[in-house]
Amino acid sequence: MSTQTGSEGEPIKLISVEESFLIPEIIDELKRLAGGVPSMKSGPIAGPFMPRLLDIGAGRIAEMDADGVDIQVLAVTAPGVQKFDPQTGLSLAKLANDRLAETISAYPDRYAGLAVAPPQAAREAAKELERAIGDLRLNGLVINSHTNDEYLDDEKYWPLLEAAESLGAPIYLHPREPNAGLEQSLMAMTGFTVGWGYAVETGTHALRMIAAGVFERFPKLQVVLGHLGETLPFLLDRIDNRYPFEIGVTGVKPLPKKPSEYFRSNFTISTSGMNFAAPVRAAIDILGADRIMFAADYPMENQREMVRAYQAIALSDDERRQISELTARRVFGIG
Ligand code: MN
């Protein structure tokens, strides 16, 4: 199972933090909404990923063993329960969270997991998060970017952010298809939707949270971004550099800190789909290995190839231990 050994001889576990699953009841509801037609907008309601998305048992564990992954952090894949009416979203969230807790207790050394909750019912979602963290002992919350084309900078969603902060539950801000405002420019660019459009959608979401003062209001809230931070780490210096000029010109009250300071204190990133040496090295230089976690993005990416690519990146023992295991244990409270 475990493949790596640090210089002190202690084995390093490989924790993979952005790994998807679905339950049949959510698939049925997504199919109903999409009129049975699978598309980039309807979510993965059909196609080659389906058998693996539905398996959170022995089949997936066998693949993890073969590929060298010790622990997967599971989350309901995009668009989660965010397209449903509030009550349907809430009841499907409870069902998914219960199933997730069951599978984690069946394989406590192999799985951890993130709760799902409908932001479109923010107060009820906050209660469900309390149950999911407090009773079910899940490890955080996944939000699949926009909800009905709105972002978490809107204060009507803040009861959920408040609950996440007070429960110490990190929010994994995962991509979904871009919102209606971005749709024309990004969804129409066939072939580049996931590789570029999802990063623009989700990176914009994260910046909107920073710009709205979310991390002044909830200073302990922790957000996780996949795909090496959806390009943001590589732009932080430029964003900081232009921010005071733009704010000064418009007369808008500036944030008390630089945008990058919120990013550095309130965000952690994963390597999902981005296990390439040059950008991983750059991300370590920019953020430090204690803000980076390995992820494969199973089953959308080939887990074996992702592990192989990650293990081939030249890292110090300390960096390897942080990115493979320690950052994830700290951020998600994995014992
Ligand atoms: Mn993913």
Side-chain angles (χ1 to χ4, degrees), residues 18-20 77-78 144 172 174-175 227 272 296-298 300:
E18 188 191 305
E19 316 312 322
S20 292
T77 195
N144 288 288
Y172 206 119
H174 185 275
H227 316 99
S272 56
D297 215 352
Y298 177 102
M300 284 66 167

Side-chain angles (χ1 to χ4, degrees), residues 8 61-62 77 106 116 129 176 187 196 220 259 271 301 333:
E8 320 86 82
I61 300 275
T77 195
V116 69
L129 184 61
R176 64 176 282 196
M187 292 292 279
W196 175 245
K220 292 191 176 128
T271 67
E301 298 283 349

Side-chain angles (χ1 to χ4, degrees), residues 34-75:
V37 182
S39 72
M40 293 301 289
K41 281 193 73 181
S42 62
I45 62 172
F49 303 131
M50 207 35 75
R52 284 190 166 103
L53 284 169
L54 283 166
D55 179 1
I56 44 175
R60 185 182 290 238
I61 300 275
E63 283 199 48
M64 290 160 61
D65 286 343
D67 298 344
V69 172
D70 293 289
I71 298 172
Q72 276 196 1
V73 180
L74 302 169

Side-chain angles (χ1 to χ4, degrees), residues 84-87 89-90 117-128 147-148 156-157 159-160:
F84 307 145
D85 69 78
Q87 279 319 307
L90 191 62
Q120 64 272 36
R123 288 187 189 283
E124 294 88 342
K127 281 214 173 70
E128 174 57 11
T147 302
N148 298 319
K156 72 184 180 191
Y157 298 120
L160 186 51

Side-chain angles (χ1 to χ4, degrees), residues 164-188:
E165 186 196 41
S166 71
L167 292 162
I171 296 178
Y172 206 119
L173 195 62
H174 185 275
R176 64 176 282 196
E177 89 288 353
N179 88 358
L182 293 169
E183 192 176 14
Q184 272 303 356
S185 51
L186 295 174
M187 292 292 279

